[in-house]
C-alpha cells in the first residue's frame, strides 16, 4: 500500500511540474514580451492615433483628443500632396531599385571574374559604405551635389565644359526638381549597393561551373551564358535582396530631408518626409493625420513585400524548415 501511494503521489506531482516544452516556452517568453513592447505596441499606438483628433503631444497628455473614426483617412485621400508624395516615392523606389540591381550585378561580376586580380581587396573596399554612419554618408553626398561652384559635381561639370571651350554656370542640382530627384537616386544607390553586392557575389559563387562548361561546348558566348545560365541561377537571391532594399528605399527619410527637405516646393517630398512635416513642422501640427500617413505607408510596404514574396516564390520550403 505504501509503494502504491508513493507512485500515485509522484505521478500527481509530475503532472503538475513544468514539462520540457513549458520550460522552452518560458525561455521564449522574454523575447516575445520584448518584441511586443518594442515592435507591436508602437504599431498599434500609431494605428490608434490615426483615428483621433490629436494635433500635438499636449493633446495626448491633457486628454483633449476625440475619436473621429476614419476622418483622417478620408481627408488624406483628398490631399493632393499625399498622392504626389506617394507617386514620387514609388518612382524613387522603382528608379533606385533598377539602378541598384544593374550596378550591383555588374560589380559582383567584376569581383568574381577569374581574370580580375586583387578581388579580395576590392571586396573589402566595396563594403566600406556599410561601416559608415548614415547621416555622415548622406551629408557627404549633399556636399557633392551642392549648388555652389565648388561642389564636386559642379567642379567636374565645369571643368569638362571648359575643356570643350565653353564657359558654363554652376548647375543648381537641388533647386531643380528632376536633378534633385536624380541626386536622391544616386545617393540611395551608393547607400544600398554593398548589401546587394554581397548577396550577388555569394550567389555567383554557387553557380555550377559544369553548366558554363556545357554551354561553352555548345558554342554559347559570354552574353548567352550570362543570360541563360548565370541569371537564372542568381535570380532568387537578387530578387530577395531587391525586395529588402526596395522596402528600405520606400522608408527613405534622411536623403530628401538633408538634401533639400523634399524640395524644391515639396515636389520631391517622399512619403515619410510628408508625414514628418505634418507631425512636427506644419503649423498647427497634425499628429493624427501624420499617423494616418505613416500607417498608409506601412500598408503599402507590406503589400509590396507580400506580392513580391508570392510572385518570387521566396517562401517556398519555409513551412518545412
Amino acid at each position: 500500500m505504501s509503494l502504491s501511494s508513493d507512485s500515485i503521489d509522484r505521478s500527481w506531482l509530475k503532472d503538475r511540474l513544468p514539462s520540457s516544452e513549458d520550460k522552452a516556452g518560458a525561455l521564449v517568453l522574454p523575447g516575445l514580451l520584448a518584441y511586443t513592447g518594442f515592435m507591436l505596441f508602437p504599431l498599434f499606438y500609431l494605428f490608434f492615433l490615426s483615428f483621433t483628433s490629436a494635433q500635438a503631444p499636449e493633446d495626448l497628455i491633457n486628454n483633449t483628443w476625440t475619436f473621429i473614426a476614419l476622418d483622417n483617412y478620408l481627408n488624406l485621400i483628398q490631399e493632393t500632396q499625399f498622392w504626389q508624395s506617394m507617386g514620387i516615392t514609388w518612382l524613387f523606389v522603382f528608379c533606385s531599385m533598377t539602378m541598384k540591381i544593374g550596378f550591383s550585378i555588374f560589380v559582383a561580376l567584376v569581383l568574381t571574374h577569374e581574370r580580375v586580380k586583387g578581388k579580395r581587396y576590392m571586396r573589402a573596399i566595396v563594403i566600406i559604405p556599410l561601416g559608415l554612419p548614415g547621416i555622415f554618408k548622406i551629408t557627404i553626398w549633399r556636399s557633392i551635389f551642392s549648388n555652389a561652384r565648388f561642389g564636386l559635381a559642379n567642379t567636374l561639370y565645369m571643368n569638362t565644359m571648359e575643356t570643350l571651350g565653353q564657359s558654363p554656370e554652376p548647375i543648381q542640382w537641388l533647386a531643380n526638381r528632376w536633378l534633385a530627384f536624380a541626386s536622391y537616386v544616386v545617393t540611395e544607390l551608393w547607400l544600398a549597393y554593398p548589401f546587394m553586392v554581397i548577396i550577388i557575389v555569394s550567389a555567383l559563387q554557387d553557380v555550377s561551373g559544369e553548366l558554363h562548361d556545357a554551354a561553352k561546348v555548345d558554342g554559347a558566348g559570354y552574353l548567352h551564358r550570362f543570360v541563360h545560365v548565370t541569371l537564372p541561377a542568381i535570380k532568387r537571391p537578387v530578387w530577395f535582396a531587391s525586395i529588402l532594399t526596395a522596402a528600405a528605399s520606400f522608408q527613405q527619410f534622411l536623403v530628401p530631408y538633408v538634401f533639400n527637405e523634399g524640395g524644391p516646393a515639396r515636389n520631391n517630398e517622399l512619403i515619410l518626409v510628408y508625414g514628418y512635416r505634418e507631425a512636427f513642422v506644419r503649423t498647427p501640427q497634425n499628429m493624427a493625420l501624420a499617423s494616418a500617413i505613416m500607417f498608409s505607408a506601412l500598408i503599402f510596404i507590406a503589400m509590396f513585400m507580400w506580392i513580391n514574396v508570392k510572385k518570387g516564390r521566396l517562401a517556398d520550403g519555409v513551412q518545412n524548415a
Side-chain angles (χ1 to χ4, degrees), residues 16 25 175:
R16 282 156 180 78

mmCIF file of all heavy atoms in Angstrom, residues 16 25 175:
data_model
loop_
_atom_site.group_PDB
_atom_site.id
_atom_site.type_symbol
_atom_site.label_atom_id
_atom_site.label_comp_id
_atom_site.label_asym_id
_atom_site.label_seq_id
_atom_site.Cartn_x
_atom_site.Cartn_y
_atom_site.Cartn_z
ATOM 1 N N ARG A 16 2.007 18.055 -12.455
ATOM 2 C CA ARG A 16 1.878 19.488 -12.159
ATOM 3 C C ARG A 16 3.186 20.262 -12.281
ATOM 4 O O ARG A 16 3.197 21.479 -12.177
ATOM 5 C CB ARG A 16 1.289 19.659 -10.743
ATOM 6 C CG ARG A 16 -0.213 19.413 -10.752
ATOM 7 C CD ARG A 16 -0.769 18.988 -9.412
ATOM 8 N NE ARG A 16 -2.202 18.780 -9.516
ATOM 9 C CZ ARG A 16 -2.744 17.701 -10.043
ATOM 10 N NH1 ARG A 16 -1.981 16.724 -10.531
ATOM 11 N NH2 ARG A 16 -4.066 17.595 -10.118
ATOM 12 N N GLY A 25 9.096 27.126 -23.672
ATOM 13 C CA GLY A 25 8.203 28.262 -23.882
ATOM 14 C C GLY A 25 8.534 29.418 -22.958
ATOM 15 O O GLY A 25 8.476 30.591 -23.346
ATOM 16 N N ALA A 175 18.000 72.716 -56.700
ATOM 17 C CA ALA A 175 16.925 73.681 -56.948
ATOM 18 C C ALA A 175 16.049 73.247 -58.118
ATOM 19 O O ALA A 175 14.998 73.843 -58.355
ATOM 20 C CB ALA A 175 17.517 75.059 -57.224
#
